[in-house]
Amino acid sequence: MTRIVKDYRRNPENKKALYLAIVFLILGGLGCLKYIVPDIIAWTQSIGCEQTTGYVKYSEQYDYYSGRYRKASNHTVTFDTIVEYTIDDQTYTQTVYTGTNYFNMGESVKVYYKKGNPENAVTDIAMKRTPTFTSVFMFGLGAALLILYLLPFKIVDD
């Protein structure tokens, strides 16, 4: 019969799981931070700013192929979205990297700007980037492995 018993001694074989958990946490965490930190910076820059409505002028598409061959599985499409907004009868444009998120021409966008410096505005689409599935999955897998390592139980066969 197999049963689960408390074991407060760390099994040396489980060290590999700990190291693997740390690697997954670091790689997944860095992948998530790549998207989250710029969003937080843009959000803090928008606090206390004036607000206007801008419109998507167009989105530039970039095709990237990784690997040796140009296969569909190695293909990634990313976008730079050009936003146009008007403040005091002067028109400004801003290019926002939106990753794999596509925005339609003419779509309305909130633009946050400081009174004396409207050309350095922040758009709400700059605050909507999301981490990739791979980064979130790696971080979650690392967290699960770490929790399993820290649990003080082991499986025993009678």
Side-chain angles (χ1 to χ4, degrees):
M1 180 176 172
T2 303
R3 59 191 172 99
I4 299 174
V5 296
K6 284 189 178 185
D7 178 30
Y8 292 102
R9 295 173 287 122
R10 295 284 177 244
N11 187 346
E13 295 172 5
N14 291 344
K15 292 282 186 189
K16 292 177 188 174
L18 176 64
Y19 298 142
L20 195 60
I22 291 170
V23 167
F24 279 130
L25 283 171
I26 290 172
L27 292 177
L30 289 175
C32 291
L33 286 176
K34 174 185 171 187
Y35 292 92
I36 294 170
V37 169
D39 292 352
I40 292 171
I41 291 171
W43 177 74
T44 56
Q45 288 175 344
S46 71
I47 295 173
C49 291
E50 302 289 325
Q51 180 179 333
T52 189
T53 302
Y55 297 94
V56 174
K57 190 173 180 182
Y58 60 92
S59 290
E60 293 182 36
Q61 178 177 328
Y62 297 98
D63 296 314
Y64 295 105
Y65 290 91
S66 59
R68 189 172 181 182
Y69 303 105
R70 296 177 70 104
K71 298 188 301 186
S73 61
N74 298 337
H75 182 238
T76 304
V77 176
T78 60
F79 298 96
D80 278 348
T81 301
I82 312 301
V83 176
E84 188 172 79
Y85 57 99
T86 304
I87 300 170
D88 297 330
D89 296 329
Q90 185 160 354
T91 303
Y92 300 94
T93 59
Q94 175 132 14
T95 303
V96 181
Y97 173 74
T98 55
T100 56
N101 297 331
Y102 176 78
F103 292 89
N104 294 319
M105 285 178 40
E107 194 171 331
S108 65
V109 176
K110 290 181 185 175
V111 179
Y112 303 94
Y113 66 96
K114 298 207 188 258
K115 269 283 197 207
N117 197 4
E119 54 274 341
N120 289 335
V122 177
T123 62
D124 66 342
I125 60 175
M127 296 181 261
K128 292 181 180 176
R129 291 176 285 213
T130 55
T132 60
F133 173 77
T134 306
S135 298
V136 174
F137 178 76
M138 287 176 60
F139 187 78
L141 183 62
L145 285 172
L146 185 64
I147 289 169
L148 288 174
Y149 174 77
L150 295 175
L151 287 176
F153 299 102
K154 70 176 182 178
I155 298 174
V156 179
D157 287 331
D158 287 338

